[in-house]
Amino acid sequence: MNVTYEMLLRPPYLLRGDTFLGGGGILTTFFLFADKLSKALPDSEELAKRLPDFEKLGESFNVLKEWLSSDKLSKALPDSEELVKRLPDLQKLGESFSLLKEWLSSGHNLVSEVIGPSDLLLLLGPGGETAFKATDSQSFESSDKQYKKGLLGELILLQDQLKQHEEEARRAAGNINTGSPQQKRKATDKEKVDQLQEELLQTQLKYQRILERLEKENKDLRKLLLQKDDKGIHHRKLKKSLIDMYSEVLDILSDYDASYNTQDHLPRVIVVGDQSAGKTSVLEMIAQARIFPRGSGEMMTRSPVKVTLSEGPHHVAMFKDSSREFDLTKEADLAALRDEIEVRMRKSVKNGQTVSPETISLSVKGPGIQRMVLVDLPGVISTVTSGMAPDTKETIFSISKAYMQNPNAIILCIQDGSVDAERSIVTDLVSQMDPQGRRTIFVLTKVDLAEKNVASPSRIQQIIEGKLFPMKALGYFAVVTGKGNSSESIDSIKDYEEEFFQGSSLLKKGMLKAHQVTTKNLSLAVSDCFWKMVRASVEQQADAFKATRFNLETEWKNNYPRLRELDRSELFEKAKNEILDEVISLTQVTPKHWEEILQKTLWERVSTHVIENIYLPAAQTMNSGTFNTTVDIKLKQWTDKQLPNKAVEVAWETLQQEFSRFMTEQKGKEHDDIFDKLKEAVKEESIKRHKWNEQAEDSLRVIQHNALEDRSISDKQQWDAAIHFMEDTLKSRLKDTESVIRDMVGPDWRERWLSWISRNLEQNTRNETKNELEKMLKVNEDHPAYLASDEVTTVRKNLETRGVEVDPVLIKDTWHQVYRRHFLKTALGHCNLCRRGFYYYQRHFVDSELECNDVVLFWRIQRMLGITANTLRQQLTNSEVRRLEKNVKEVLEDFAEDNDKKVNMLTGKRVQLAEDLKKVREIQEKLEAFIEALHQEK
């Protein structure tokens, strides 16, 4: 057995034995054997004479306290091996306990619990004096010679004193029997029993105060030692505490989606209860700080809160995912902590819901805090009120059941003692989940209100004895957690709880046992049960995860033998690097490629406007002067209002297309389609965030206006290029027009005969109208673009003579396409004539009937397109590509912090398998490290 200094510093627990929850400990013997004690003990006056001088004992404590300073203590304490040698023989000590137990069972249970400087403290009587006194100094010296100083010697001395007082009690009882009538003797005995019960209760309370004082000194001493150890952290690597290691495993498990039939069966304490039953208050008393938000009757716990309690030099709290440390001794930090918990709860609740299954993880450290992991669940409700989601009741039940289904979870069932027990819902729920009560601890809160309001106190006794509810439990506790004032401090609540139980008739009349009251005893009991459950189940859980790991590794080898086991975070980093490489590739696009794409796309976007709104109206004029004037006016209007904006739109769309091409094109065998969804999301978000430079339009407007003002074609090569550009444009328009006419009139004779396709009625009508209009154009090839009203009437009458009824609107629509085709064919013929017109252009068409002003127009348009494309390319390569790259980096950084997006973007069996494999390995490794540390602590 390893004996640590902590055991010596905490003597109240050294001799408790297996007193957990059962009521069979030494502390409870005051009430179990009160009748026998009344016959055995001397009266109070005789007892007072035998008490030693307690002032000397206090001086001894002061000397001991002075000696226990951290500096002297560190020098004076022996090492662990020497300490073991100096301890008494524990086997003999056990034999002495057995002897003591025999004496106590015969009716002389005079000790509630032994503790002191040498690990023993005799029962204290009235006035602060010891209940028993050694016969004299000589007898103690002779006893000291016969027995070694320490636990065993004082225990044997205690046995001798018990024998002496047994003889005195027998003599006193004999005198009473011989000297008084039977009726008077019974009355006297009853008075003595009542008096002794009262004296024993007062003695126990005084003992409890002494015990608490020693506990406080013990706590202060441990705090000093922990602070001294804390100062040396920077000199050596800090070793994680056992409970912190265990809590880390639970945190990982809470994020682990078990899809391989491996469930989390590791122990934790589940705090359940009806709404407003006092769950949170009990947890705060155990944590020794008011850490949770409070409300008057409203639901405050909206999601599970996992609280890891551990001992430390400072009373602090910290969230799992935050580095901020809250000082729980400062009210400002406590208020900030409560606000942060409330904010996190509200954030975890999805739209339209009232509660959330998402767990908030919090750690609390402080001197004297019992080590354990508790989960505070939302309070169980019977009715859904206004403002709550309709499924709130069912959601709370499902969350509670999910936690309680764990066969190793300890259920801390909280029952409000101030209301009728029949109104409780949680007891039925707990009895369903743990029908045998093997892992349930029942806690009755607000006992002060219950004692005041309940007509029959025996009802409280029935609850604590487990006779009122069908629910079974390991143990039953009664606590008081304040007066209902949210501003009360933990210390004031402790004082109020102590004062209440000191004067409570429930304790005086034996309805409650001493070990069943106060949150302090509850905390010790729950912690003891928690660690027993951990030691009993943790290795089995580690083996289960080991088997799961083997199964996952086998599945990976069979399905992805040539791939690394990259989890979602590692895959994201790989995809991030690929995306950044592809963005950098934009800078490697050649200027020629940029300009060709920009010029082609811009002309496709503006060609319709140039032909329909500039060229065709100008071409309808009668002479070159009017043509040039019309062109100049329309070009100026176009440049001022539309052209720069169209050019920027084209440039931005071109950049998007090139960016998309680099992002989506496959890289051969190295292409991994698992990144496609993520790349698409990054591309869309980056494009959405990108805004073109606002000054680009203004600079483009000036450049384009200057380019269109120039009419001077410098050489024959430019002239030929303009004619080629004009010819291609007109041919493209003519092809489009003929396609439109074909759709209007239906299939020609060849298609009708070879493909057996016929025209419908509308197509026949349009075909007849087209033929009639073409006759008109043959008669007058210089016909203007619009039909006169009399011409429409003439065409209509001509068609009616052939039995074709036609509407004037149909005639005009058909004329528009027929004339357009006629005009484009005429313009193409004129274009051919102008191929050799450069000489006349240089002479300004003097003495020539040939006028090629339309060629000059197309040259101006072509030159403008080239200059605009060059300008846009410079803007792209100099600024926009870099700004887009910056946006991509920002989007990737945002996605890296958003785990939900990564889960949505990187999906599939391969990703989930790698994620589960990583989690299971991590859980198994941490469990093994925890088990090793747990064995070392034993």
Side-chain angles (χ1 to χ4, degrees):
M1 176 179 179
N2 295 327
V3 180
T4 64
Y5 182 62
E6 180 181 353
M7 295 170 65
L8 295 178
L9 287 176
R10 303 185 69 176
Y13 313 126
L14 188 59
L15 299 180
R16 277 202 177 120
D18 190 14
T19 62
F20 171 67
L21 299 177
I26 300 173
L27 187 61
T28 62
T29 56
F30 287 105
F31 301 98
L32 296 176
F33 302 103
D35 292 335
K36 294 182 180 180
L37 283 171
S38 64
K39 299 176 184 178
L41 287 176
D43 57 27
S44 58
E45 293 180 0
E46 185 179 0
L47 191 63
K49 294 177 183 179
R50 300 183 182 185
L51 294 175
D53 187 359
F54 213 79
E55 286 185 32
K56 295 182 180 180
L57 184 60
E59 292 173 1
S60 302
F61 268 103
N62 291 332
V63 173
L64 176 63
K65 187 175 180 181
E66 180 179 343
W67 181 250
L68 290 177
S69 64
S70 58
D71 292 335
K72 294 180 180 180
L73 185 64
S74 61
K75 297 176 182 177
L77 283 176
D79 56 29
S80 59
E81 295 179 1
E82 185 178 357
L83 189 61
V84 171
K85 295 177 182 178
R86 295 184 182 183
L87 289 173
D89 188 344
L90 295 178
Q91 185 176 359
K92 294 181 179 179
L93 184 60
E95 296 172 358
S96 300
F97 266 112
S98 301
L99 182 61
L100 178 61
K101 186 175 181 181
E102 293 176 7
W103 280 102
L104 294 176
S105 62
S106 63
H108 306 289
N109 293 321
L110 304 176
V111 183
S112 82
E113 188 168 347
V114 285
I115 182 172
S118 60
D119 296 326
L120 287 175
L121 180 66
L122 300 183
L123 185 65
L124 300 180
E129 298 178 344
T130 55
F132 296 98
K133 185 176 182 181
T135 53
D136 52 30
S137 59
Q138 291 180 354
S139 65
F140 183 74
E141 288 175 2
S142 63
S143 175
D144 196 25
K145 291 178 182 178
Q146 188 175 359
Y147 305 105
K148 295 181 179 179
K149 292 182 178 180
L151 291 172
L152 188 57
E154 295 189 20
L155 188 57
I156 294 174
L157 178 61
L158 176 60
Q159 292 173 348
D160 292 339
Q161 291 174 342
L162 291 174
K163 291 177 181 179
Q164 294 175 12
H165 288 290
E166 181 187 12
E167 292 296 328
E168 293 177 2
R170 286 176 180 172
R171 287 196 298 271
N175 294 334
I176 292 173
N177 290 334
T178 56
S180 302
Q182 186 175 3
Q183 186 175 0
K184 185 177 180 180
R185 185 172 64 250
K186 287 183 179 180
T188 305
D189 289 347
K190 185 176 183 305
E191 290 175 359
K192 276 194 171 186
V193 168
D194 293 340
Q195 182 181 359
L196 282 174
Q197 283 183 341
E198 182 65 27
E199 289 176 357
L200 285 171
L201 182 60
Q202 293 300 322
T203 301
Q204 183 189 13
L205 294 175
K206 289 179 182 180
Y207 166 75
Q208 187 70 24
R209 286 195 291 270
I210 295 295
L211 180 63
E212 290 175 358
R213 192 184 74 226
L214 292 175
E215 280 283 348
K216 186 176 185 303
E217 293 175 356
N218 178 19
K219 178 179 176 181
D220 293 339
L221 179 57
R222 287 185 57 78
K223 182 176 180 180
L224 289 173
L225 292 174
L226 289 168
Q227 286 175 342
K228 181 179 178 182
D229 184 70
D230 191 41
K231 293 176 183 177
I233 288 175
H234 62 281
H235 294 299
R236 66 187 187 279
K237 185 178 180 181
L238 181 62
K239 185 178 180 181
K240 286 185 180 178
S241 68
L242 200 62
I243 192 65
D244 287 337
M245 296 172 69
Y246 186 75
S247 180
E248 281 185 5
V249 176
L250 296 183
D251 284 335
I252 298 170
L253 284 168
S254 66
D255 299 331
Y256 174 53
D257 182 17
S259 56
Y260 292 90
N261 300 321
T262 300
Q263 297 180 354
D264 168 22
H265 288 166
L266 288 173
R268 66 263 278 167
V269 181
I270 309 302
V271 187
V272 295
D274 300 318
Q275 185 179 343
S276 302
K279 292 185 302 80
T280 302
S281 298
V282 170
L283 205 156
E284 286 181 334
M285 291 293 288
I286 296 174
Q288 300 180 17
R290 306 301 294 269
I291 59 177
F292 289 103
R294 318 188 77 79
S296 55
E298 63 175 317
M299 178 181 292
M300 296 305 297
T301 305
R302 296 179 176 269
S303 64
V305 182
K306 181 176 78 69
V307 183
T308 303
L309 301 177
S310 59
E311 196 169 29
H314 309 289
H315 202 186
V316 295
M318 182 183 294
F319 290 100
K320 178 189 76 170
D321 56 355
S322 173
S323 59
R324 179 181 178 183
E325 195 172 70
F326 297 87
D327 188 346
L328 301 184
T329 61
K330 297 179 180 178
E331 186 54 42
D333 277 23
L334 276 170
L337 176 62
R338 290 192 290 266
D339 291 342
E340 178 66 17
I341 291 176
E342 185 171 4
V343 168
R344 286 173 178 255
M345 283 184 181
R346 296 192 181 277
K347 281 184 178 180
S348 68
V349 177
K350 306 302 180 185
N351 293 334
Q353 298 298 312
T354 306
V355 293
S356 166
E358 186 177 328
T359 304
I360 299 171
S361 292
L362 179 71
S363 64
V364 176
K365 297 183 179 182
I369 293 180
Q370 298 299 315
R371 303 176 302 167
M372 63 184 110
V373 176
L374 302 100
V375 182
D376 186 26
L377 299 180
V380 177
I381 60 174
S382 58
T383 305
V384 176
T385 60
S386 61
M388 291 185 179
D391 62 344
T392 300
K393 178 179 176 181
E394 291 74 16
T395 304
I396 293 174
F397 268 86
S398 64
I399 293 173
S400 302
K401 286 182 178 179
Y403 277 91
M404 290 191 289
Q405 279 173 350
N406 178 356
N408 296 319
I410 301 163
I411 303 172
L412 197 61
C413 179
I414 310 298
Q415 167 70 40
D416 188 348
S418 65
V419 299
D420 294 337
E422 290 78 9
R423 291 167 56 186
S424 175
I425 310 170
V426 71
T427 49
D428 290 337
L429 178 62
V430 172
S431 61
Q432 292 175 17
M433 306 309 296
D434 182 27
Q436 302 301 320
R438 293 173 180 170
R439 52 189 179 90
T440 300
I441 300 174
F442 180 86
V443 182
L444 187 68
T445 61
K446 307 177 185 179
V447 182
D448 53 340
L449 299 178
E451 185 181 35
K452 185 187 302 182
N453 299 332
V454 176
S456 175
S458 61
R459 189 172 175 83
I460 298 176
Q461 184 180 6
Q462 283 183 300
I463 295 175
I464 295 300
E465 291 178 352
K467 296 178 180 178
L468 189 63
F469 295 114
M471 184 193 76
K472 299 178 181 179
L474 281 171
Y476 298 81
F477 287 86
V479 299
V480 175
T481 55
K483 302 178 182 179
N485 185 0
S486 60
S487 62
E488 286 180 292
S489 67
I490 294 297
D491 290 337
S492 65
I493 295 174
K494 285 182 178 178
D495 293 340
Y496 174 69
E497 184 180 45
E498 180 185 346
E499 290 174 3
F500 167 76
F501 282 117
Q502 283 179 3
S504 173
S505 61
L506 297 172
L507 204 61
K508 291 179 179 179
K509 295 179 181 179
M511 295 182 181
L512 297 179
K513 305 298 187 296
H515 71 279
Q516 292 180 304
V517 298
T518 73
T519 49
K520 180 181 180 62
N521 288 338
L522 170 65
S523 176
L524 291 169
V526 174
S527 177
D528 190 17
C529 184
F530 170 75
W531 285 106
K532 284 182 178 178
M533 191 72 81
V534 168
R535 288 186 171 92
S537 63
V538 68
E539 292 190 4
Q540 181 182 1
Q541 289 297 299
D543 291 340
F545 279 103
K546 186 176 181 181
T548 303
R549 173 178 175 175
F550 175 79
N551 295 337
L552 292 174
E553 288 175 342
T554 304
E555 185 176 356
W556 183 274
K557 290 176 182 177
N558 292 334
N559 289 280
Y560 312 103
R562 298 182 180 179
L563 293 177
R564 290 178 57 202
E565 300 161 0
L566 299 179
D567 61 18
R568 188 169 280 111
S569 297
E570 292 169 332
L571 285 171
F572 181 82
E573 287 300 317
K574 185 178 179 181
K576 177 181 176 181
N577 294 332
E578 285 190 12
I579 292 171
L580 293 176
D581 290 342
E582 288 158 359
V583 174
I584 293 173
S585 299
L586 282 173
T587 60
Q588 300 174 359
V589 176
T590 62
K592 181 180 179 182
H593 181 73
W594 278 122
E595 292 186 18
E596 286 178 353
I597 296 175
L598 290 168
Q599 187 168 343
K600 179 182 177 183
T601 308
L602 181 59
W603 175 239
E604 290 174 354
R605 189 65 56 85
V606 303
S607 59
T608 300
H609 179 83
V610 171
I611 299 299
E612 304 295 333
N613 298 336
I614 299 176
Y615 175 60
L616 289 178
Q620 305 302 317
T621 57
M622 302 303 295
N623 55 61
S624 62
T626 307
F627 177 89
N628 291 332
T629 301
T630 304
V631 165
D632 288 344
I633 292 172
K634 291 186 176 294
L635 286 177
K636 179 69 166 56
Q637 293 174 347
W638 184 44
T639 306
D640 289 341
K641 296 180 180 180
Q642 300 179 17
L643 183 57
N645 181 261
K646 290 288 184 184
V648 170
E649 286 181 4
V650 166
W652 178 211
E653 290 176 8
T654 303
L655 179 58
Q656 292 180 43
Q657 291 170 3
E658 290 298 297
F659 178 46
S660 300
R661 180 171 65 86
F662 282 109
M663 290 280 286
T664 57
E665 69 180 2
Q666 297 186 3
K667 307 297 188 297
K669 294 182 179 180
E670 297 180 1
H671 178 73
D672 195 344
D673 57 3
I674 202 169
F675 299 142
D676 290 348
K677 195 173 181 180
L678 174 62
K679 288 182 177 180
E680 183 67 23
V682 172
K683 182 195 75 174
E684 291 179 359
E685 183 64 24
S686 302
I687 290 173
K688 182 180 177 181
R689 295 186 185 185
H690 188 82
K691 302 295 181 184
W692 202 272
N693 190 348
E694 296 179 354
Q695 299 177 353
E697 288 189 22
D698 296 332
S699 60
L700 271 175
R701 184 174 290 106
V702 175
I703 293 170
Q704 291 168 341
H705 182 73
N706 293 335
L708 291 171
E709 283 290 320
D710 190 6
R711 294 192 184 90
S712 58
I713 304 176
S714 59
D715 54 36
K716 181 69 165 56
Q717 185 177 0
Q718 292 182 6
W719 181 269
D720 293 340
I723 289 178
H724 182 69
F725 174 57
M726 176 180 174
E727 189 176 39
D728 288 346
T729 302
L730 294 176
K731 286 181 178 179
S732 174
R733 293 292 158 177
L734 179 60
K735 184 178 179 181
D736 293 341
T737 303
E738 288 180 341
S739 177
V740 172
I741 292 173
R742 181 188 174 283
D743 293 338
M744 289 172 59
V745 301
D748 57 14
W749 65 269
R750 189 186 302 274
E751 290 178 308
R752 293 199 303 273
W753 280 99
L754 297 178
S755 303
W756 291 78
I757 301 174
S758 60
R759 292 171 175 160
N760 57 33
L761 180 60
E762 182 181 356
Q763 288 173 340
N764 279 324
T765 303
R766 284 193 178 272
N767 184 61
E768 293 293 335
T769 305
K770 176 185 75 77
N771 293 334
E772 188 68 25
L773 293 173
E774 285 177 344
K775 293 177 183 178
M776 184 185 297
L777 279 175
K778 284 182 180 180
V779 175
N780 183 12
E781 293 185 355
D782 295 330
H783 194 288
Y786 300 99
L787 281 176
S789 298
D790 56 342
E791 292 176 323
V792 172
T793 303
T794 302
V795 171
R796 184 179 179 185
K797 289 182 178 180
N798 292 338
L799 291 172
E800 287 178 352
T801 58
R802 295 201 296 268
V804 178
E805 294 290 335
V806 64
D807 186 81
V809 176
L810 186 144
I811 295 173
K812 291 180 180 180
D813 289 344
T814 307
W815 166 257
H816 177 72
Q817 299 299 330
V818 170
Y819 179 81
R820 183 184 181 86
R821 182 174 63 178
H822 169 72
F823 173 81
L824 291 172
K825 286 182 177 180
T826 304
L828 276 171
H830 182 69
C831 182
N832 289 327
L833 292 175
C834 288
R835 288 184 184 278
R836 299 183 180 90
F838 182 67
Y839 169 75
Y840 298 103
Y841 166 75
Q842 288 180 323
R843 294 181 58 201
H844 303 288
F845 301 106
V846 178
D847 301 329
S848 172
E849 295 181 358
L850 181 65
E851 293 182 355
C852 297
N853 294 305
D854 47 0
V855 177
V856 177
L857 170 62
F858 277 94
W859 178 81
R860 293 166 71 183
I861 297 293
Q862 187 181 39
R863 184 169 181 271
M864 181 275 297
L865 292 173
I867 293 174
T868 301
N870 180 268
T871 304
L872 293 173
R873 189 266 306 166
Q874 292 180 20
Q875 292 179 356
L876 280 170
T877 55
N878 293 339
S879 61
E880 300 303 329
V881 171
R882 290 190 178 89
R883 290 175 61 226
L884 179 61
E885 182 180 354
K886 181 181 178 183
N887 287 338
V888 171
K889 290 180 180 178
E890 291 176 354
V891 170
L892 287 170
E893 289 174 0
D894 292 344
F895 281 14
E897 296 175 359
D898 191 338
N899 191 59
D900 291 338
K901 279 195 176 295
K902 287 195 288 187
V903 170
N904 292 331
M905 297 299 104
L906 295 171
T907 58
K909 180 181 178 181
R910 169 182 153 197
V911 182
Q912 192 59 50
L913 185 58
E915 281 284 304
D916 290 336
L917 188 51
K918 178 187 176 183
K919 289 288 185 184
V920 170
R921 280 176 179 162
E922 187 177 6
I923 293 168
Q924 184 201 353
E925 291 169 0
K926 288 189 177 293
L927 273 177
E928 289 176 350
F930 170 75
I931 292 170
E932 183 180 355
L934 188 66
H935 290 164
Q936 290 176 358
E937 186 182 73
K938 286 182 181 179

